[in-house]
Amino acid sequence: MSTPFDPAHQQASTVCLPPGDWITVLDCLCDHFKGIGRDQWLDRFSRGRVLDAEGRAVAADLPYRRGMRLHYFREVPNERPIPVEETILHCDEHLVVADKPHFLPVTPTGEYVEHTLLRRLIRRLDNPHLVPLHRIDRHTAGLVLFSSNPQSRSAYQRLFPERRIDKRYQAIAAPLPTREFPLVHRSRLEHGEPFFRMREVEGVANSETLAEVLEKNGNLWRYGLSPVTGKTHQLRVHMAALGAAINNDPFYPTLLEGEDDYERPLKLLAQSLGFDDPLTGEKRYFQSRLSLDW
């Protein structure tokens, strides 16, 4: 018996065709995704990389129909390798815990598809069912928790929105001698410009971070950061707002242009994860083997 198609497991992207007057699905896709050339789409169709809702390969001349659902596989020609290597800290029938190095994206995004933590782990473990239960941004190093079993996935996914998981980070940044620690910083975060940067705005707080000082070393301090919420770039924005942007941050407080400098990683580490296992009640605790040097 064949396995039913599941685009999430096979890392396909999905598009629902918008309203328009196109003749074929190829015409629609070319117009909708202007960054992908017609020849590239034709190549994908010829290799069976564009599928219908049931997972069957479709032809480029298939007539366009509004609302049609298609699955396609993202590809980046000449994708640049990322010269870092992840470590698997734990693997069982339900969970995989990986130590992600700086600069490696968790999931395919932008110019990165194959050189992502998810794709690497799928290949290493030969498990297409892997799904990240949370994410840390590309510049941050440390722990990422994956579900390896669709049957138990929802139980572990609920840990995060229900705030039943203890996440602790470390960061290296400038001293804040005029502030009293530990302190709690709350603010409202929204997407800014460019779209991938966050900013603090007026309004009801939707983000909260507990910060404490772990170690002092001259003109640098090591901070312990515990995010109560999980907004994009939350710790980076909050530290910058406090007056101590995290060392080597290319986004905050100022956006820096240029390619990655592997000698100057962001000094932010997802250091530990702790929770009560939702299936067994067992206390689980994982700690990164990575560290932030001064």
Side-chain angles (χ1 to χ4, degrees):
M1 180 181 296
S2 61
T3 302
F5 171 74
D6 186 339
H9 293 168
Q10 298 187 36
Q11 305 310 309
S13 297
T14 301
V15 61
C16 189
L17 299 188
D21 56 359
W22 301 283
I23 297 175
T24 67
V25 294
L26 173 62
D27 296 329
C28 176
L29 292 173
C30 289
D31 202 32
H32 188 62
F33 297 99
K34 297 185 184 299
I36 303 175
R38 191 176 187 87
D39 288 343
Q40 190 174 345
W41 276 117
L42 284 169
D43 179 62
R44 290 184 184 182
F45 277 101
S46 69
R47 292 184 289 115
R49 304 291 282 176
V50 182
L51 313 174
D52 64 14
E54 285 71 45
R56 298 171 301 214
V58 300
D61 60 357
L62 180 70
Y64 159 81
R65 187 179 76 251
R66 176 180 175 177
M68 181 185 298
R69 186 175 297 273
L70 297 176
H71 306 296
Y72 65 96
F73 295 83
R74 296 186 65 248
E75 298 172 336
V76 176
N78 304 314
E79 183 178 352
R80 289 181 301 172
I82 301 177
V84 296
E85 186 173 350
E86 73 284 353
T87 301
I88 297 175
L89 301 180
H90 174 85
C91 183
D92 63 32
E93 64 176 314
H94 301 290
L95 294 175
V96 172
V97 183
D99 232 351
K100 185 189 83 68
H102 292 102
F103 302 106
L104 185 67
V106 173
T107 57
T109 180
E111 61 184 299
Y112 304 103
V113 175
E114 294 304 323
H115 291 282
T116 61
L117 181 60
L118 176 60
R119 289 290 181 91
R120 288 184 180 189
L121 292 179
I122 286 174
R123 291 192 294 269
R124 284 180 61 175
L125 299 174
D126 192 25
N127 182 356
H129 301 292
L130 284 177
V131 170
L133 293 170
H134 65 120
R135 301 183 189 186
I136 59 177
D137 60 71
R138 189 173 73 85
H139 296 103
T140 303
L143 300 181
V144 183
L145 190 64
F146 289 82
S147 163
S148 55
N149 186 335
Q151 302 304 314
S152 60
R153 181 165 300 145
S154 62
Y156 290 99
Q157 285 175 325
R158 288 195 296 270
L159 292 172
F160 291 87
E162 295 176 3
R163 299 181 183 177
R164 293 187 287 122
I165 189 159
D166 181 33
K167 299 176 289 182
R168 296 185 184 271
Y169 290 69
Q170 287 189 8
I172 304 295
L176 291 170
T178 63
R179 295 186 180 272
E180 292 188 7
F181 289 89
L183 64 79
V184 174
H185 184 78
R186 300 181 182 91
S187 69
R188 184 166 191 82
L189 295 182
E190 293 183 356
H191 286 279
E193 292 292 339
F195 69 93
F196 53 81
R197 293 181 80 221
M198 302 295 286
R199 60 174 182 160
E200 291 190 330
V201 298
E202 296 294 329
V204 177
N206 60 3
S207 63
E208 180 178 340
T209 300
L210 170 66
E212 53 191 327
V213 178
L214 302 179
E215 190 177 359
K216 298 180 180 180
N217 183 10
N219 62 349
L220 291 174
W221 286 5
R222 185 186 303 274
Y223 294 88
L225 304 175
S226 300
V228 178
T229 53
K231 294 295 183 180
T232 301
H233 296 173
Q234 176 178 315
L235 301 180
R236 299 165 68 174
V237 177
H238 281 184
M239 287 299 292
L242 290 170
I246 298 172
N247 273 27
N248 303 334
D249 194 331
F251 288 178
Y252 307 98
T254 303
L255 179 63
L256 303 178
E257 303 292 343
E259 296 184 355
D260 292 335
D261 184 349
Y262 294 105
E263 300 300 319
R264 291 175 54 81
L266 175 71
K267 297 297 183 175
L268 180 61
L269 173 68
Q271 198 262 340
S272 68
L273 289 169
F275 57 93
D276 292 335
D277 192 291
L279 301 184
T280 66
E282 173 190 2
K283 290 192 177 298
R284 309 293 293 270
Y285 179 79
F286 302 101
Q287 184 166 320
S288 173
R289 296 177 187 170
L290 301 172
S291 60
L292 300 175
D293 61 45
W294 295 83

